[in-house]
Amino acid sequence: MGVIEKIPYLKASGITTVELQPAYEFLEMPNQEERRSAFHTDMVVSDEELDMYCPRKLNYWGYKQGYYYAPKSAYAYGDDASVEFKEMVKAFHAAGMEVVMQFYFPKETERHEIAEILRFWLLTYHIDGFHLMGEGIPTAEIARDSALTDTKLWYYSFDTDNIYRPGEVPAYRNLAEYRDGYYYDMRRFLKGDENMLTNVLGHMRYNPLKCGVINYFTNYYGFTMMDMVSYDRKHNDENGEDNRDGSDMNCSWNCGEEGKSRRKRVVKLRRRQIKNAMCMLLFSQGTPLIFMGDEFGNSQNGNNNPYCQDNAITWLDWRGLDANRDLYDFWTTLIRVRREHPVLHMDKAFVMMDSISCGYPDLSYHGQNAWRAQLEGYNRHVGIMYCGKYARREDGGEDSIIYLAMNMYWMPERLALPKLPKGMRWKQILDTAEEKGDGVLMKAEEHDIRQTEETECTLPERSIALLVAVNGDEADGGAVNGKLNRHTKEIGKKRNGTA
């Protein structure tokens, strides 16, 4: 019932699917056998020694052998968890949204039973998909199960060559890869590591034909998005394991001060970095996933493994929505932009060629010179142009030409803007370096950039800008004047009309 209450908020936030952590029945407190196994010793250990060296802890997440045929009773407000779970799924479906649930199967789980469990939840509770977790899961058999072919199935990877016949392309891509390659590489690029640009561009255009892909900067494990830009190292002291638990590989950067800060420079940079991460996530071709609360800067105080913290560390503080309204508004604007432009979420991979003879490739990269990307390991800046002529809107018309300018270097960088068809010009609509408001440029602040032979933009340090090609009669005035052969428009600084 608590989740049902938040459905209007989720829908307004642009969410189409919710992923639940294990919501089937499981024991929250480990039994003696589990505790002895965790103690990692062959010696006989008394109950007193076990309590001393391996104290009982709440298992808040439930990644263990479960009682898979029943919803978790402790999650229900009423007395009947089964009925309440069904009501929740119905409420999501009535709002046009989907429910996917995580199922963790340890290796001792009978392989044949896994498919039975999935069919039971599909037929009894009508959920829309499963995020499969654990080793030895017969994914090929499950993917070929006729009862599950229209059901979303997520796993680390799928052997599509064995699942589908040669040359066969599924009419419905219900399979999706769910792995951490994007997570680590994008975080490293965000904080300015070198030798990341090629990997980042590969992740952003990755769009397999037979299998979808789930992209994420954050998840239930690891730092939240706010903590990702606020901590260099984990702070799991309250877990009771001397900060030994949780990953040491966070690929995070605290922006100059560990933990919460009142320094304006640090706070401003952190907010910019969160907006940069949001842009990269929503302008990547795969399906974007966000950990709930990241859209308004929720923090877990640097705990990257709060599996045993059923308290304020993991509870979502909704007061943050008002405190960080600019982040939330920026997030919802990005969602709207993504929906309005199908070229940002194509149903097939880019070929990076002019395959329809329109004068532009479907996807192209640019550096200080148009059409010449600077992909050397020491570079952290790039211009990405998506040609909307290869995508169709719902009304059947062509999509726009879009240019995404990214600079994760700590100094400003110049990028060239490719020449547009006659009568068109670039209009900048988003700017993470904008200090006023939320980074979304209002009509009066949008910039019409008059085209010359070699138009450039200077992108501030650690910032992203989005430009859209518009017809000349769509421009709202304020065009940058100048008839020089080379024109430089500075993006992200105070608007004073100078070039």
Side-chain angles (χ1 to χ4, degrees), residues 369-442:
N369 295 309
W371 311 106
R372 296 180 184 178
Q374 297 167 269
L375 302 181
E376 295 84 0
Y378 51 80
N379 283 320
R380 285 96 162 167
H381 64 284
V382 69
I384 307 174
M385 191 171 79
Y386 304 90
C387 180
K389 295 179 181 294
Y390 293 83
R392 287 288 182 272
R393 299 177 184 269
E394 291 184 0
D395 61 7
E398 289 182 354
D399 196 3
S400 307
I401 299 177
I402 295 176
Y403 187 91
L404 183 67
M406 301 196 303
N407 177 26
M408 293 301 106
Y409 194 48
W410 46 88
M411 296 288 289
E413 291 284 1
R414 290 183 299 130
L415 286 170
L417 300 176
K419 189 173 182 180
L420 292 169
K422 187 176 181 180
M424 301 193 75
R425 64 182 63 184
W426 291 110
K427 178 184 285 290
Q428 184 194 351
I429 62 172
L430 291 173
D431 183 2
T432 64
E434 173 60 55
E435 297 180 8
K436 298 180 297 181
D438 55 13
V440 181
L441 302 183
M442 299 297 101

Side-chain angles (χ1 to χ4, degrees), residues 81-321:
S82 177
V83 170
E84 196 167 315
F85 194 99
K86 291 177 182 178
E87 291 299 320
M88 180 191 68
V89 175
K90 287 180 182 178
F92 273 114
H93 289 172
M97 302 170 69
E98 296 178 312
V99 178
V100 172
M101 195 163 100
Q102 295 179 1
F103 275 79
Y104 173 76
F105 297 109
K107 57 185 177 182
E108 59 266 22
T109 307
E110 293 290 342
R111 291 169 61 96
H112 72 274
E113 188 181 13
I114 294 176
E116 293 179 9
I117 293 168
L118 303 185
R119 288 193 292 267
F120 171 81
W121 278 83
L122 177 65
L123 298 174
T124 305
Y125 295 102
H126 305 291
I127 63 176
D128 303 280
F130 305 92
H131 178 183
L132 305 174
M133 308 173 73
E135 301 176 14
I137 296 177
T139 54
E141 298 171 23
I142 292 172
R144 287 193 292 261
D145 191 316
S146 58
L148 302 173
T149 52
D150 293 329
T151 303
K152 286 182 167 62
L153 298 172
W154 301 347
Y155 194 57
Y156 313 117
S157 63
F158 288 92
D159 185 1
T160 55
D161 289 339
N162 272 334
I163 295 172
Y164 301 110
R165 295 186 297 272
E168 179 185 4
V169 177
Y172 173 60
R173 283 194 301 178
N174 67 313
L175 310 181
E177 300 176 358
Y178 197 120
R179 52 187 179 183
D180 291 345
Y182 183 100
Y183 173 97
Y184 288 115
D185 287 347
M186 302 302 282
R187 281 185 171 207
R188 290 184 60 191
F189 180 66
L190 178 71
K191 71 188 185 76
D193 285 2
E194 62 180 14
N195 294 313
M196 298 310 303
L197 190 53
T198 300
N199 285 359
V200 164
L201 297 178
H203 286 304
M204 292 185 71
R205 68 173 181 266
Y206 185 54
N207 191 12
L209 187 61
K210 298 182 180 182
C211 184
V213 57
I214 310 295
N215 294 326
Y216 47 93
F217 265 85
T218 57
N219 217 308
Y220 69 91
Y221 52 91
F223 285 149
T224 66
M225 201 168 277
M226 179 60 78
D227 290 352
M228 175 184 72
V229 298
S230 303
Y231 295 91
D232 278 352
R233 57 190 182 279
K234 64 186 182 184
H235 294 264
N236 300 350
D237 304 296
E238 296 188 37
N239 290 4
E241 300 182 34
D242 296 325
N243 206 31
R244 293 191 300 267
D245 65 301
S247 175
D248 292 314
M249 187 178 178
N250 296 294
C251 301
S252 59
W253 176 48
N254 64 19
C255 295
E257 183 175 352
E258 188 75 359
K260 294 181 179 179
S261 175
R262 293 184 178 180
R263 295 166 63 188
K264 291 183 179 180
R265 179 182 61 81
V266 173
V267 171
K268 183 172 69 173
L269 179 56
R270 287 176 178 176
R271 300 179 97 77
R272 183 188 295 190
Q273 287 287 79
I274 289 175
K275 291 174 183 177
N276 289 337
M278 289 178 173
C279 282
M280 286 187 271
L281 177 63
L282 287 179
F283 297 147
S284 296
Q285 285 294 301
T287 299
L289 178 146
I290 190 167
F291 184 50
M292 190 164 181
D294 279 348
E295 71 274 18
F296 58 81
N298 184 59
S299 171
Q300 293 178 167
N301 299 324
N303 193 320
N304 73 351
N305 187 40
Y307 73 98
C308 56
Q309 301 295 335
D310 183 4
N311 52 44
I313 291 177
T314 54
W315 298 343
L316 196 56
D317 186 351
W318 288 94
R319 294 172 297 181
L321 181 57

